[in-house]
Amino acid sequence: MNTGLFIFDTKARELKEVCAKNGFEVQIYCCGPTVYRDAHVGNLRTFLLGDLITRTLTFSGTSANLIQNITDVGHMGEDFDGSEIGEDKMLAQSKAEAIDPFEIARKYEATFHRDLAGLNVIPAAKYPKASETIPLMLDLISNLIASNHAYVGSDGCVYFAANSFAGYGDISGNRLDSLKPGHRYEYVDDGAKKFHADWALWKAAENRTQMIWDSPWGPGFPGWHIECSAMSLHFLEGNVDLHLGGIDLRFPHHENERAQSNSAAGYEVVENWVHGEHLLFEGRKMSKSAGNVVLLSDVIAKGLDPLSLRLCFLENRYRSQMDLTWDALKAADTTLNRWRGKYTNWCEDGDVDEKFVADFTEGSLQDIQNDLDTPRALQQLRKLEKDEFLSGATKAACFEVMDQIYGLDLQRGEAPKVELTPELENLLEARRVARLDKDFAKSDEIRDLMAGLGVLVKDTPGGQEWNWI
Ligand code: AMP
Ligand code: ZN
């Protein structure tokens, strides 16, 4: 069944129409979070891509079935090129916080759901956890061993034989014959692999005592890539119309997943591989070491509507790298507030021109169905806002209909200005007095203190003015 939504398939390297192979519902799998920390706004950009696609499909009359996994075991630390080094991210964080690893998982799983709710994301049909789907993975691994796509190494780990899958590299362009031996894919010191590009499906527990399970090959834990094959094959019944993730997952995660899934199923399991480009913040890659990891809670702490993040993402094409800034978030917050205020007033103004609304929303949908060109669709909305001839009621109707895709809560009404706390009021007053006394050193000191507390104070001919930073 055709859907009218065309989207760039990384493997085919061209736009392809999304189709529901089963004839009634588009099956979507989105790689979910590794729940050892809060998701940052970059992760959220990728998760919002799934929401935008399902909303677009639903809007145009096709239902979608979205599954998003929760990785709570088996995702090892990575170095700069994605090679696995170090220990399981869950166990490392469990040590750092001195909390049981399953508790760490549930804690960050809860914040993940809180963030999605704050961003108006329509929940997926299921969020299966890796730790609760081990039997699915064991079955799949056994199947791959039986069909000679995998083997048990002398170290008790089970490896996928990369050479056994002819199409390896089709998604990323990384061909096995051009991948250099010595490039690290999995355990650095992994001597039991038969070929440098093979990867572990099951890892022997060795000295590890937590987050391990029994298996036909002894106690151990699953590799990261096998979980997505096992879950997508099982929960989407062997047919994935659309597979989503951030661009960094193209290789090796998705290349390996495709090799596993296709080898087990005997056919091409995923029709469309869709990758969202990465988000930078203030021009830099977000990383803990650089100290510039931004969370949704940081956006909220600055007094900004979390949906301003959603608007910023919609104003950029998912396939372009995007540089998010605090200024852009503030501008989006102002826009949202203005639109909500206007929406309320427009509703009272005149009659709805139904024909215009139908044409306008059809035009916007066409933009979005063209590889999710939301920036172009939003330009039309901005033009509509300024139109001097249309009735307010018509504008309000267009905003309301399109918000089913944008998810910006445009009918909410304007937010009242958040007032200063009594402590900040006192500081502002102390600064006013300091300026009257011409004690400018003190006045500057208070201004800096307030800036540190998130309030920007400016001196104007009318006195002090403040704004949340
Ligand atoms: P993780 O929790 O690290 O497994 O990542 C969850 C998702 O976020 C994956 O689809 C990643 O590809 C994606 N991702 C990671 N960093 C970024 C970023 N800076 N911008 C956009 N997506 C990202
Ligand atoms: Zn995945």
Side-chain angles (χ1 to χ4, degrees):
M1 187 178 96
N2 290 13
T3 64
L5 170 60
F6 286 78
I7 195 156
F8 189 82
D9 174 23
T10 311
K11 183 164 82 66
R13 290 162 179 74
E14 62 184 16
L15 291 192
K16 261 171 62 177
E17 184 169 6
V18 176
C19 294
K21 221 185 231 168
N22 67 11
F24 68 97
E25 187 182 58
V26 179
Q27 307 297 311
I28 308 177
Y29 186 87
C30 180
C31 288
T34 308
V35 285
Y36 69 107
R37 55 153 169 74
D38 285 318
H40 56 57
V41 288
N43 303 130
L44 295 173
R45 182 185 191 200
T46 298
F47 302 150
L48 276 166
L49 179 59
D51 191 55
L52 175 62
I53 291 173
T54 47
R55 280 175 180 266
T56 303
L57 289 168
T58 313
F59 186 90
S60 55
T62 315
S63 35
N65 180 31
L66 171 67
I67 302 291
Q68 185 166 29
N69 66 307
I70 302 285
T71 300
D72 58 358
V73 63
H75 196 171
M76 314 306 274
E78 289 148 4
D79 70 6
F80 62 94
D81 65 354
S83 312
E84 290 192 351
I85 48 166
E87 65 178 326
D88 193 313
K89 294 181 181 191
M90 301 302 309
L91 296 183
Q93 191 62 21
S94 152
K95 275 187 209 152
E97 294 192 39
I99 307 180
D100 176 83
F102 285 102
E103 238 180 90
I104 292 283
R106 300 299 81 90
K107 171 178 162 183
Y108 291 110
E109 193 185 347
T111 58
F112 162 70
H113 288 299
R114 181 202 62 196
D115 287 349
L116 293 195
L119 286 171
N120 247 350
V121 169
I122 297 170
K126 276 197 188 73
Y127 293 99
K129 304 182 197 14
S131 65
E132 293 177 1
T133 44
I134 302 289
L136 293 180
M137 298 185 223
L138 295 180
D139 277 357
L140 181 55
I141 296 170
S142 299
N143 173 339
L144 290 170
I145 295 174
S147 56
N148 290 324
H149 286 288
Y151 58 91
V152 185
S154 55
D155 54 359
C157 299
V158 182
Y159 295 98
F160 188 92
N163 272 324
S164 75
F165 180 64
Y168 195 87
D170 284 354
I171 303 176
S172 60
N174 287 330
R175 295 279 160 200
L176 281 178
D177 48 16
S178 57
L179 288 172
K180 286 191 233 74
H183 178 102
R184 291 180 273 126
Y185 300 93
E186 296 283 323
Y187 281 145
V188 184
D189 52 351
D190 210 342
K193 282 189 214 173
K194 293 182 184 163
F195 180 61
H196 62 271
D198 295 350
W199 63 91
L201 302 174
W202 185 260
K203 298 176 184 179
E206 296 180 346
N207 301 327
R208 175 162 157 161
T209 56
Q210 290 174 298
M211 289 191 146
I212 55 173
W213 288 263
D214 281 335
S215 83
W217 319 285
F221 58 100
W224 172 38
H225 315 302
I226 196 70
E227 91 179 60
C228 288
S229 284
M231 292 196 209
S232 58
L233 284 169
H234 177 77
F235 293 107
L236 298 177
E237 297 174 2
N239 156 47
V240 184
D241 294 311
L242 214 59
H243 194 306
L244 312 176
I247 193 75
D248 56 310
L249 301 190
R250 191 174 40 172
F251 178 85
H253 185 57
H254 289 162
E255 207 67 81
N256 293 1
E257 179 186 331
R258 175 170 176 260
Q260 295 158 173
S261 298
N262 288 10
S263 299
Y267 56 85
E268 194 74 50
V269 172
V270 174
E271 198 54 49
N272 238 323
W273 290 94
V274 175
H275 293 102
E277 253 297 346
H278 265 192
L279 180 78
L280 305 178
F281 201 89
E282 301 282 7
R284 288 184 304 157
K285 189 179 159 164
M286 266 180 292
S287 79
K288 248 190 189 172
S289 51
N292 69 335
V293 171
V294 177
L295 309 179
L296 188 62
S297 52
D298 296 324
V299 174
I300 297 168
K302 294 228 185 236
L304 300 172
D305 188 313
L307 295 178
S308 52
L309 184 66
R310 195 169 172 119
L311 178 54
C312 284
F313 291 156
L314 290 169
E315 287 191 293
N316 287 269
R317 202 79 179 268
Y318 79 100
R319 222 148 41 84
S320 306
Q321 201 175 67
M322 171 183 168
D323 185 13
L324 185 63
T325 61
W326 285 117
D327 282 347
L329 280 164
K330 275 183 232 158
D333 184 73
T334 306
T335 303
L336 270 186
N337 220 13
R338 188 182 71 239
W339 282 352
R340 288 173 181 154
K342 285 190 172 178
Y343 173 85
T344 314
N345 297 333
W346 284 337
C347 286
E348 314 284 313
D349 171 38
D351 297 324
V352 178
D353 179 343
E354 302 286 357
K355 166 89 172 61
F356 181 91
V357 176
D359 290 347
F360 180 86
T361 53
E362 181 54 32
S364 299
L365 178 63
Q366 275 177 16
D367 288 337
I368 299 172
Q369 285 181 323
N370 177 21
D371 205 19
L372 305 174
D373 197 347
T374 49
R376 192 181 155 101
L378 282 171
Q379 260 173 25
Q380 301 307 320
L381 203 71
R382 287 181 187 273
K383 244 200 235 161
L384 179 77
E385 178 191 1
K386 298 202 184 93
D387 189 292
E388 289 174 5
F389 301 105
L390 283 167
S391 70
T394 303
K395 293 184 188 184
C398 292
F399 269 62
E400 195 176 318
V401 176
M402 288 317 299
D403 204 31
Q404 291 172 40
I405 295 184
Y406 300 143
L408 296 170
D409 259 359
L410 296 177
Q411 298 167 65
R412 192 200 282 170
E414 203 168 356
K417 188 167 162 72
V418 181
E419 291 308 329
L420 292 179
T421 59
E423 292 75 17
L424 286 165
E425 283 287 6
N426 288 343
L427 283 172
L428 200 62
E429 176 57 16
R431 185 170 181 276
R432 192 184 65 82
V433 173
R435 289 186 70 76
L436 274 181
D437 295 345
K438 303 219 179 309
D439 186 349
F440 296 113
K442 187 166 178 193
S443 137
D444 287 352
E445 194 184 310
I446 299 176
R447 186 196 56 209
D448 294 347
L449 181 64
M450 293 189 74
L453 295 169
V455 179
L456 185 70
V457 184
K458 266 200 308 206
D459 297 304
T460 70
Q464 304 184 105
E465 275 184 9
W466 65 271
N467 255 309
W468 296 103
I469 296 173

